[in-house]
PDB file of all heavy atoms in Angstrom:
ATOM      1  N   TYR Z 243      85.410 175.229 142.046  1.00  0.00           N
ATOM      2  CA  TYR Z 243      83.948 175.316 142.132  1.00  0.00           C
ATOM      3  C   TYR Z 243      83.539 176.785 142.187  1.00  0.00           C
ATOM      4  O   TYR Z 243      84.078 177.558 142.977  1.00  0.00           O
ATOM      5  CB  TYR Z 243      83.454 174.584 143.383  1.00  0.00           C
ATOM      6  CG  TYR Z 243      81.940 174.561 143.490  1.00  0.00           C
ATOM      7  CD1 TYR Z 243      81.161 173.928 142.520  1.00  0.00           C
ATOM      8  CD2 TYR Z 243      81.289 175.173 144.553  1.00  0.00           C
ATOM      9  CE1 TYR Z 243      79.773 173.912 142.599  1.00  0.00           C
ATOM     10  CE2 TYR Z 243      79.893 175.157 144.647  1.00  0.00           C
ATOM     11  CZ  TYR Z 243      79.144 174.522 143.664  1.00  0.00           C
ATOM     12  OH  TYR Z 243      77.779 174.508 143.737  1.00  0.00           O
ATOM     13  N   GLU Z 244      82.612 177.169 141.332  1.00  0.00           N
ATOM     14  CA  GLU Z 244      82.082 178.539 141.285  1.00  0.00           C
ATOM     15  C   GLU Z 244      80.703 178.490 141.958  1.00  0.00           C
ATOM     16  O   GLU Z 244      79.716 178.045 141.333  1.00  0.00           O
ATOM     17  CB  GLU Z 244      82.026 178.980 139.818  1.00  0.00           C
ATOM     18  CG  GLU Z 244      81.177 180.182 139.502  1.00  0.00           C
ATOM     19  CD  GLU Z 244      81.474 181.377 140.382  1.00  0.00           C
ATOM     20  OE1 GLU Z 244      82.429 182.087 140.070  1.00  0.00           O
ATOM     21  OE2 GLU Z 244      80.740 181.576 141.375  1.00  0.00           O
ATOM     22  N   PRO Z 245      80.631 178.867 143.258  1.00  0.00           N
ATOM     23  CA  PRO Z 245      79.376 178.634 143.993  1.00  0.00           C
ATOM     24  C   PRO Z 245      78.203 179.458 143.474  1.00  0.00           C
ATOM     25  O   PRO Z 245      77.054 178.992 143.544  1.00  0.00           O
ATOM     26  CB  PRO Z 245      79.721 179.028 145.439  1.00  0.00           C
ATOM     27  CG  PRO Z 245      81.020 179.737 145.389  1.00  0.00           C
ATOM     28  CD  PRO Z 245      81.682 179.460 144.083  1.00  0.00           C
ATOM     29  N   ASN Z 246      78.459 180.639 142.937  1.00  0.00           N
ATOM     30  CA  ASN Z 246      77.333 181.457 142.463  1.00  0.00           C
ATOM     31  C   ASN Z 246      76.649 180.836 141.253  1.00  0.00           C
ATOM     32  O   ASN Z 246      75.439 180.945 141.080  1.00  0.00           O
ATOM     33  CB  ASN Z 246      77.801 182.876 142.128  1.00  0.00           C
ATOM     34  CG  ASN Z 246      78.294 183.581 143.371  1.00  0.00           C
ATOM     35  OD1 ASN Z 246      77.636 183.534 144.417  1.00  0.00           O
ATOM     36  ND2 ASN Z 246      79.465 184.187 143.281  1.00  0.00           N
ATOM     37  N   GLU Z 247      77.443 180.157 140.429  1.00  0.00           N
ATOM     38  CA  GLU Z 247      76.878 179.494 139.247  1.00  0.00           C
ATOM     39  C   GLU Z 247      76.545 178.032 139.536  1.00  0.00           C
ATOM     40  O   GLU Z 247      75.917 177.365 138.710  1.00  0.00           O
ATOM     41  CB  GLU Z 247      77.866 179.549 138.071  1.00  0.00           C
ATOM     42  CG  GLU Z 247      78.241 180.956 137.626  1.00  0.00           C
ATOM     43  CD  GLU Z 247      77.089 181.655 136.904  1.00  0.00           C
ATOM     44  OE1 GLU Z 247      76.116 180.988 136.516  1.00  0.00           O
ATOM     45  OE2 GLU Z 247      77.182 182.887 136.739  1.00  0.00           O
ATOM     46  N   GLY Z 248      77.029 177.519 140.680  1.00  0.00           N
ATOM     47  CA  GLY Z 248      76.784 176.119 141.021  1.00  0.00           C
ATOM     48  C   GLY Z 248      77.468 175.172 140.053  1.00  0.00           C
ATOM     49  O   GLY Z 248      76.900 174.147 139.671  1.00  0.00           O
ATOM     50  N   ARG Z 249      78.708 175.508 139.684  1.00  0.00           N
ATOM     51  CA  ARG Z 249      79.372 174.641 138.701  1.00  0.00           C
ATOM     52  C   ARG Z 249      80.880 174.563 138.967  1.00  0.00           C
ATOM     53  O   ARG Z 249      81.494 175.514 139.457  1.00  0.00           O
ATOM     54  CB  ARG Z 249      79.148 175.163 137.279  1.00  0.00           C
ATOM     55  CG  ARG Z 249      79.852 176.468 136.994  1.00  0.00           C
ATOM     56  CD  ARG Z 249      79.540 177.022 135.607  1.00  0.00           C
ATOM     57  NE  ARG Z 249      80.279 178.257 135.358  1.00  0.00           N
ATOM     58  CZ  ARG Z 249      79.826 179.289 134.661  1.00  0.00           C
ATOM     59  NH1 ARG Z 249      78.616 179.237 134.130  1.00  0.00           N
ATOM     60  NH2 ARG Z 249      80.580 180.353 134.472  1.00  0.00           N
ATOM     61  N   ILE Z 250      81.421 173.397 138.620  1.00  0.00           N
ATOM     62  CA  ILE Z 250      82.875 173.243 138.525  1.00  0.00           C
ATOM     63  C   ILE Z 250      83.289 173.830 137.179  1.00  0.00           C
ATOM     64  O   ILE Z 250      82.574 173.656 136.178  1.00  0.00           O
ATOM     65  CB  ILE Z 250      83.269 171.748 138.571  1.00  0.00           C
ATOM     66  CG1 ILE Z 250      83.168 171.185 139.990  1.00  0.00           C
ATOM     67  CG2 ILE Z 250      84.647 171.523 137.996  1.00  0.00           C
ATOM     68  CD1 ILE Z 250      84.338 171.501 140.905  1.00  0.00           C
ATOM     69  N   GLU Z 251      84.406 174.521 137.169  1.00  0.00           N
ATOM     70  CA  GLU Z 251      84.990 174.956 135.886  1.00  0.00           C
ATOM     71  C   GLU Z 251      86.366 174.334 135.760  1.00  0.00           C
ATOM     72  O   GLU Z 251      87.148 174.351 136.714  1.00  0.00           O
ATOM     73  CB  GLU Z 251      85.130 176.486 135.851  1.00  0.00           C
ATOM     74  CG  GLU Z 251      83.810 177.190 135.742  1.00  0.00           C
ATOM     75  CD  GLU Z 251      83.967 178.682 135.478  1.00  0.00           C
ATOM     76  OE1 GLU Z 251      85.066 179.123 135.058  1.00  0.00           O
ATOM     77  OE2 GLU Z 251      82.987 179.398 135.700  1.00  0.00           O
ATOM     78  N   MET Z 252      86.624 173.781 134.608  1.00  0.00           N
ATOM     79  CA  MET Z 252      87.937 173.197 134.365  1.00  0.00           C
ATOM     80  C   MET Z 252      88.611 174.027 133.271  1.00  0.00           C
ATOM     81  O   MET Z 252      87.992 174.321 132.242  1.00  0.00           O
ATOM     82  CB  MET Z 252      87.776 171.743 133.930  1.00  0.00           C
ATOM     83  CG  MET Z 252      88.930 170.895 134.319  1.00  0.00           C
ATOM     84  SD  MET Z 252      88.393 169.220 134.667  1.00  0.00           S
ATOM     85  CE  MET Z 252      88.454 168.507 133.062  1.00  0.00           C
ATOM     86  N   HIS Z 253      89.849 174.406 133.539  1.00  0.00           N
ATOM     87  CA  HIS Z 253      90.579 175.270 132.610  1.00  0.00           C
ATOM     88  C   HIS Z 253      91.965 174.693 132.322  1.00  0.00           C
ATOM     89  O   HIS Z 253      92.498 173.922 133.117  1.00  0.00           O
ATOM     90  CB  HIS Z 253      90.786 176.663 133.231  1.00  0.00           C
ATOM     91  CG  HIS Z 253      89.520 177.446 133.421  1.00  0.00           C
ATOM     92  ND1 HIS Z 253      89.136 178.465 132.590  1.00  0.00           N
ATOM     93  CD2 HIS Z 253      88.540 177.347 134.359  1.00  0.00           C
ATOM     94  CE1 HIS Z 253      87.983 178.978 133.004  1.00  0.00           C
ATOM     95  NE2 HIS Z 253      87.602 178.317 134.084  1.00  0.00           N
ATOM     96  N   LEU Z 254      92.550 175.156 131.211  1.00  0.00           N
ATOM     97  CA  LEU Z 254      93.967 174.977 130.940  1.00  0.00           C
ATOM     98  C   LEU Z 254      94.561 176.378 130.913  1.00  0.00           C
ATOM     99  O   LEU Z 254      94.143 177.218 130.105  1.00  0.00           O
ATOM    100  CB  LEU Z 254      94.165 174.264 129.601  1.00  0.00           C
ATOM    101  CG  LEU Z 254      93.778 172.775 129.632  1.00  0.00           C
ATOM    102  CD1 LEU Z 254      93.525 172.237 128.227  1.00  0.00           C
ATOM    103  CD2 LEU Z 254      94.857 171.954 130.342  1.00  0.00           C
ATOM    104  N   VAL Z 255      95.477 176.633 131.846  1.00  0.00           N
ATOM    105  CA  VAL Z 255      95.994 177.992 132.024  1.00  0.00           C
ATOM    106  C   VAL Z 255      97.396 178.074 131.435  1.00  0.00           C
ATOM    107  O   VAL Z 255      98.261 177.231 131.745  1.00  0.00           O
ATOM    108  CB  VAL Z 255      96.004 178.370 133.528  1.00  0.00           C
ATOM    109  CG1 VAL Z 255      96.583 179.761 133.720  1.00  0.00           C
ATOM    110  CG2 VAL Z 255      94.593 178.309 134.102  1.00  0.00           C
ATOM    111  N   SER Z 256      97.600 179.082 130.622  1.00  0.00           N
ATOM    112  CA  SER Z 256      98.891 179.246 129.960  1.00  0.00           C
ATOM    113  C   SER Z 256      99.960 179.671 130.983  1.00  0.00           C
ATOM    114  O   SER Z 256      99.803 180.665 131.686  1.00  0.00           O
ATOM    115  CB  SER Z 256      98.771 180.300 128.850  1.00  0.00           C
ATOM    116  OG  SER Z 256     100.010 180.443 128.214  1.00  0.00           O
ATOM    117  N   ALA Z 257     101.058 178.890 131.047  1.00  0.00           N
ATOM    118  CA  ALA Z 257     102.117 179.158 132.025  1.00  0.00           C
ATOM    119  C   ALA Z 257     102.976 180.340 131.607  1.00  0.00           C
ATOM    120  O   ALA Z 257     103.763 180.854 132.403  1.00  0.00           O
ATOM    121  CB  ALA Z 257     102.988 177.921 132.176  1.00  0.00           C
ATOM    122  N   ARG Z 258     102.854 180.749 130.351  1.00  0.00           N
ATOM    123  CA  ARG Z 258     103.683 181.863 129.860  1.00  0.00           C
ATOM    124  C   ARG Z 258     102.980 182.532 128.684  1.00  0.00           C
ATOM    125  O   ARG Z 258     101.984 182.006 128.158  1.00  0.00           O
ATOM    126  CB  ARG Z 258     105.059 181.345 129.427  1.00  0.00           C
ATOM    127  CG  ARG Z 258     104.993 180.278 128.364  1.00  0.00           C
ATOM    128  CD  ARG Z 258     106.352 179.933 127.778  1.00  0.00           C
ATOM    129  NE  ARG Z 258     106.205 179.136 126.573  1.00  0.00           N
ATOM    130  CZ  ARG Z 258     106.446 177.841 126.483  1.00  0.00           C
ATOM    131  NH1 ARG Z 258     106.864 177.165 127.531  1.00  0.00           N
ATOM    132  NH2 ARG Z 258     106.277 177.204 125.331  1.00  0.00           N
ATOM    133  N   SER Z 259     103.502 183.653 128.302  1.00  0.00           N
ATOM    134  CA  SER Z 259     103.009 184.302 127.095  1.00  0.00           C
ATOM    135  C   SER Z 259     103.482 183.470 125.894  1.00  0.00           C
ATOM    136  O   SER Z 259     104.661 183.136 125.803  1.00  0.00           O
ATOM    137  CB  SER Z 259     103.585 185.722 127.062  1.00  0.00           C
ATOM    138  OG  SER Z 259     103.277 186.298 125.841  1.00  0.00           O
ATOM    139  N   GLN Z 260     102.557 183.103 125.023  1.00  0.00           N
ATOM    140  CA  GLN Z 260     102.951 182.209 123.930  1.00  0.00           C
ATOM    141  C   GLN Z 260     101.935 182.298 122.788  1.00  0.00           C
ATOM    142  O   GLN Z 260     100.823 182.805 122.959  1.00  0.00           O
ATOM    143  CB  GLN Z 260     103.025 180.761 124.427  1.00  0.00           C
ATOM    144  CG  GLN Z 260     101.712 180.229 125.013  1.00  0.00           C
ATOM    145  CD  GLN Z 260     101.823 178.779 125.495  1.00  0.00           C
ATOM    146  OE1 GLN Z 260     102.431 177.929 124.837  1.00  0.00           O
ATOM    147  NE2 GLN Z 260     101.223 178.496 126.655  1.00  0.00           N
ATOM    148  N   GLU Z 261     102.345 181.795 121.642  1.00  0.00           N
ATOM    149  CA  GLU Z 261     101.409 181.634 120.523  1.00  0.00           C
ATOM    150  C   GLU Z 261     101.320 180.150 120.231  1.00  0.00           C
ATOM    151  O   GLU Z 261     102.342 179.468 120.243  1.00  0.00           O
ATOM    152  CB  GLU Z 261     101.955 182.318 119.271  1.00  0.00           C
ATOM    153  CG  GLU Z 261     101.728 183.802 119.256  1.00  0.00           C
ATOM    154  CD  GLU Z 261     102.229 184.422 117.941  1.00  0.00           C
ATOM    155  OE1 GLU Z 261     102.968 183.753 117.190  1.00  0.00           O
ATOM    156  OE2 GLU Z 261     101.874 185.581 117.691  1.00  0.00           O
ATOM    157  N   ILE Z 262     100.116 179.670 119.979  1.00  0.00           N
ATOM    158  CA  ILE Z 262     100.050 178.280 119.512  1.00  0.00           C
ATOM    159  C   ILE Z 262      99.534 178.295 118.072  1.00  0.00           C
ATOM    160  O   ILE Z 262      98.743 179.156 117.690  1.00  0.00           O
ATOM    161  CB  ILE Z 262      99.208 177.373 120.432  1.00  0.00           C
ATOM    162  CG1 ILE Z 262      97.732 177.761 120.421  1.00  0.00           C
ATOM    163  CG2 ILE Z 262      99.729 177.359 121.866  1.00  0.00           C
ATOM    164  CD1 ILE Z 262      96.856 176.711 121.068  1.00  0.00           C
ATOM    165  N   HIS Z 263     100.019 177.343 117.316  1.00  0.00           N
ATOM    166  CA  HIS Z 263      99.641 177.239 115.900  1.00  0.00           C
ATOM    167  C   HIS Z 263      98.824 175.974 115.705  1.00  0.00           C
ATOM    168  O   HIS Z 263      99.215 174.896 116.145  1.00  0.00           O
ATOM    169  CB  HIS Z 263     100.897 177.185 115.021  1.00  0.00           C
ATOM    170  CG  HIS Z 263     101.760 178.398 115.189  1.00  0.00           C
ATOM    171  ND1 HIS Z 263     102.736 178.484 116.164  1.00  0.00           N
ATOM    172  CD2 HIS Z 263     101.762 179.578 114.535  1.00  0.00           C
ATOM    173  CE1 HIS Z 263     103.309 179.673 116.098  1.00  0.00           C
ATOM    174  NE2 HIS Z 263     102.739 180.360 115.118  1.00  0.00           N
ATOM    175  N   VAL Z 264      97.681 176.136 115.077  1.00  0.00           N
ATOM    176  CA  VAL Z 264      96.840 174.980 114.755  1.00  0.00           C
ATOM    177  C   VAL Z 264      96.634 175.059 113.250  1.00  0.00           C
ATOM    178  O   VAL Z 264      95.865 175.894 112.765  1.00  0.00           O
ATOM    179  CB  VAL Z 264      95.487 175.028 115.492  1.00  0.00           C
ATOM    180  CG1 VAL Z 264      94.696 173.750 115.231  1.00  0.00           C
ATOM    181  CG2 VAL Z 264      95.678 175.246 116.992  1.00  0.00           C
ATOM    182  N   GLY Z 265      97.360 174.202 112.507  1.00  0.00           N
ATOM    183  CA  GLY Z 265      97.383 174.372 111.054  1.00  0.00           C
ATOM    184  C   GLY Z 265      97.883 175.770 110.744  1.00  0.00           C
ATOM    185  O   GLY Z 265      98.923 176.197 111.262  1.00  0.00           O
ATOM    186  N   ASN Z 266      97.101 176.508 109.958  1.00  0.00           N
ATOM    187  CA  ASN Z 266      97.512 177.860 109.588  1.00  0.00           C
ATOM    188  C   ASN Z 266      97.016 178.922 110.561  1.00  0.00           C
ATOM    189  O   ASN Z 266      97.232 180.101 110.334  1.00  0.00           O
ATOM    190  CB  ASN Z 266      96.955 178.207 108.198  1.00  0.00           C
ATOM    191  CG  ASN Z 266      97.561 177.324 107.138  1.00  0.00           C
ATOM    192  OD1 ASN Z 266      98.739 176.958 107.231  1.00  0.00           O
ATOM    193  ND2 ASN Z 266      96.767 176.951 106.143  1.00  0.00           N
ATOM    194  N   HIS Z 267      96.352 178.502 111.606  1.00  0.00           N
ATOM    195  CA  HIS Z 267      95.750 179.454 112.548  1.00  0.00           C
ATOM    196  C   HIS Z 267      96.701 179.726 113.711  1.00  0.00           C
ATOM    197  O   HIS Z 267      97.357 178.806 114.197  1.00  0.00           O
ATOM    198  CB  HIS Z 267      94.430 178.916 113.089  1.00  0.00           C
ATOM    199  CG  HIS Z 267      93.467 178.525 112.007  1.00  0.00           C
ATOM    200  ND1 HIS Z 267      92.525 179.384 111.504  1.00  0.00           N
ATOM    201  CD2 HIS Z 267      93.332 177.369 111.312  1.00  0.00           C
ATOM    202  CE1 HIS Z 267      91.839 178.771 110.558  1.00  0.00           C
ATOM    203  NE2 HIS Z 267      92.312 177.549 110.420  1.00  0.00           N
ATOM    204  N   VAL Z 268      96.730 180.980 114.147  1.00  0.00           N
ATOM    205  CA  VAL Z 268      97.616 181.373 115.246  1.00  0.00           C
ATOM    206  C   VAL Z 268      96.755 181.897 116.387  1.00  0.00           C
ATOM    207  O   VAL Z 268      95.895 182.759 116.164  1.00  0.00           O
ATOM    208  CB  VAL Z 268      98.589 182.490 114.792  1.00  0.00           C
ATOM    209  CG1 VAL Z 268      99.561 182.832 115.931  1.00  0.00           C
ATOM    210  CG2 VAL Z 268      99.346 182.081 113.540  1.00  0.00           C
ATOM    211  N   PHE Z 269      97.006 181.371 117.587  1.00  0.00           N
ATOM    212  CA  PHE Z 269      96.243 181.831 118.745  1.00  0.00           C
ATOM    213  C   PHE Z 269      97.201 182.308 119.829  1.00  0.00           C
ATOM    214  O   PHE Z 269      97.949 181.496 120.395  1.00  0.00           O
ATOM    215  CB  PHE Z 269      95.358 180.698 119.299  1.00  0.00           C
ATOM    216  CG  PHE Z 269      94.395 180.167 118.272  1.00  0.00           C
ATOM    217  CD1 PHE Z 269      94.671 178.992 117.584  1.00  0.00           C
ATOM    218  CD2 PHE Z 269      93.230 180.863 117.981  1.00  0.00           C
ATOM    219  CE1 PHE Z 269      93.794 178.514 116.622  1.00  0.00           C
ATOM    220  CE2 PHE Z 269      92.344 180.390 117.017  1.00  0.00           C
ATOM    221  CZ  PHE Z 269      92.631 179.214 116.329  1.00  0.00           C
ATOM    222  N   PRO Z 270      97.179 183.611 120.125  1.00  0.00           N
ATOM    223  CA  PRO Z 270      98.051 184.108 121.196  1.00  0.00           C
ATOM    224  C   PRO Z 270      97.424 183.849 122.565  1.00  0.00           C
ATOM    225  O   PRO Z 270      96.201 183.912 122.717  1.00  0.00           O
ATOM    226  CB  PRO Z 270      98.104 185.617 120.914  1.00  0.00           C
ATOM    227  CG  PRO Z 270      96.883 185.929 120.128  1.00  0.00           C
ATOM    228  CD  PRO Z 270      96.419 184.676 119.462  1.00  0.00           C
TER     229      PRO Z 270
END
Side-chain angles (χ1 to χ4, degrees):
Y243 184 62
E244 164 51 82
N246 296 314
E247 300 288 346
R249 68 184 182 215
I250 284 280
E251 289 189 17
M252 209 148 87
H253 293 257
L254 288 160
V255 178
S256 180
R258 58 171 193 254
S259 172
Q260 59 180 318
E261 280 183 346
I262 66 167
H263 301 88
V264 185
N266 295 325
H267 306 268
V268 183
F269 302 100

